[in-house]
Amino acid sequence: MKKVIVGGNWKMNKNVQEAQTLARQLCDRLSDVNFADIFICPPFVDLYPINIILREKESKIMLGAQNMHYEPKGAFTGEISADMIKSAGGKIVVLGHSERRHIFGEDDEYINKKVASALKNELIPLLCIGELLEERKAGKTEEVIESQLRGSLNGIEIDDPEKILIAYEPVWAIGTGITATPEQAQEAQKFVRKVLADMFGQSIADGIRILYGGSVKPDNAEALISQPEVDGLFVGGASLDAESFEKIVRATK
Ligand code: 13P
């Protein structure tokens, strides 16, 4: 039985002081939780200060970064490397988030290099995939998901399903308040697993945790996590408040 995993993507929110406050609140509120793995992905500058708090509080909450460059170092102004994330306490790195794809123009080939670099550096890539509303309306959801998976994971070898996470995040559900229905999440994630099985074999695919993301809130978390193919939740807006994130985590029990 896979353990449920719930993550918060803080996006470009919380300065260092605000981030420290929220991290302390989460440590206190979630200290008893052992039914789910929990991670938070704050902005880069907040990683190390939060890591200190997580260690002080002996918290099991894991730290993730929201992006990285694939090169180990060099003249890449504005970028940070896998090693930098690890040295700040990061265990997970979000790659290919729809905001990176659609606002910053990242494509599968570019994301693929980042996935390879994360794995090489023993960071867990959380690969995000998902279709636009036009694509869903045109009946292209599966085609888009499959090409994102095959493109972003091209040439990647996975010998242990715990070394990677996948998030299905339909773009039309992100930040819009429109959640995919539990059935839509189930159907898409079943298809994600089918593609993963074709790429890596059934037993690896069965072991990979696939998260749903897109307007997850305290009142829809339970219905989403009840779907057999939904192994976790990736929360944006509702992870910025300790009470609402706690409610979502507890709804997965
Ligand atoms: P919202 O929960 O704000 O829709 O964001 C989801 C998301 O993008 C998580 O990565």
Side-chain angles (χ1 to χ4, degrees):
M1 202 37 196
K2 282 170 284 187
K3 195 168 183 184
V4 165
I5 183 161
V6 183
N9 179 2
W10 295 5
K11 308 193 180 182
M12 196 173 76
N13 295 287
K14 308 289 179 190
N15 66 27
V16 173
Q17 288 73 30
E18 292 162 346
Q20 287 174 312
T21 301
L22 179 53
R24 282 198 189 91
Q25 290 168 341
L26 293 173
C27 288
D28 293 342
R29 284 172 175 267
L30 297 168
S31 61
D32 64 306
V33 172
N34 49 27
F35 52 84
D37 289 330
I38 303 169
F39 65 98
I40 49 176
C41 303
F44 292 144
V45 294
D46 300 335
L47 285 171
Y48 189 62
I50 291 183
N51 185 42
I52 292 173
I53 292 171
L54 296 178
R55 283 193 308 204
E56 268 170 15
K57 299 245 181 200
E58 296 180 6
S59 175
K60 293 189 290 291
I61 297 174
M62 290 178 287
L63 205 47
Q66 298 173 19
N67 186 27
M68 62 170 225
H69 197 275
Y70 54 81
E71 290 288 354
K73 62 175 148 182
F76 300 99
T77 302
E79 295 291 325
I80 86 168
S81 71
D83 177 60
M84 290 171 193
I85 293 169
K86 273 176 63 181
S87 71
K91 301 263 182 296
I92 294 172
V93 60
V94 180
L95 297 175
H97 189 278
S98 72
E99 286 145 22
R100 300 300 319 171
R101 291 174 186 269
H102 298 293
I103 304 174
F104 300 99
E106 294 190 12
D107 62 13
D108 289 317
E109 200 180 324
Y110 189 61
I111 295 161
N112 180 234
K113 292 184 184 158
K114 299 188 186 204
V115 174
S117 169
L119 287 167
K120 189 171 158 208
N121 286 282
E122 294 174 338
L123 274 177
I124 299 175
L126 166 46
L127 173 66
C128 302
I129 51 162
E131 80 287 1
L132 297 164
L133 186 57
E134 304 90 272
E135 292 165 340
R136 176 164 280 263
K137 283 187 174 159
K140 291 191 172 154
T141 299
E142 293 193 348
E143 190 185 314
V144 171
I145 290 176
E146 178 157 9
S147 100
Q148 289 176 341
L149 282 170
R150 290 194 187 275
S152 305
L153 296 174
N154 183 29
I156 301 288
E157 283 174 27
I158 296 173
D159 54 5
D160 174 354
E162 305 226 336
K163 288 191 179 158
I164 189 164
L165 296 163
I166 308 282
Y168 169 61
E169 303 205 309
V171 182
W172 46 273
I174 296 179
T176 57
I178 305 168
T179 323
T181 63
E183 294 73 26
Q184 285 171 321
Q186 163 68 16
E187 192 186 2
Q189 299 195 189
K190 193 172 173 189
F191 180 74
V192 170
R193 204 170 311 276
K194 186 171 157 231
V195 177
L196 292 175
D198 190 51
M199 296 179 77
F200 304 112
Q202 192 67 50
S203 90
I204 294 282
D206 285 342
I208 294 177
R209 289 185 289 185
I210 307 173
L211 293 75
Y212 168 81
S215 296
V216 175
K217 305 283 178 230
D219 61 2
N220 60 25
E222 191 179 342
L224 288 161
I225 202 70
S226 314
Q227 297 297 317
E229 298 290 351
V230 178
D231 304 312
L233 300 172
F234 196 28
V235 187
S239 71
L240 297 173
D241 172 74
E243 185 180 350
S244 88
F245 191 63
E246 180 190 2
K247 282 187 179 153
I248 290 170
V249 170
R250 294 198 188 279
T252 65
K253 192 174 179 182

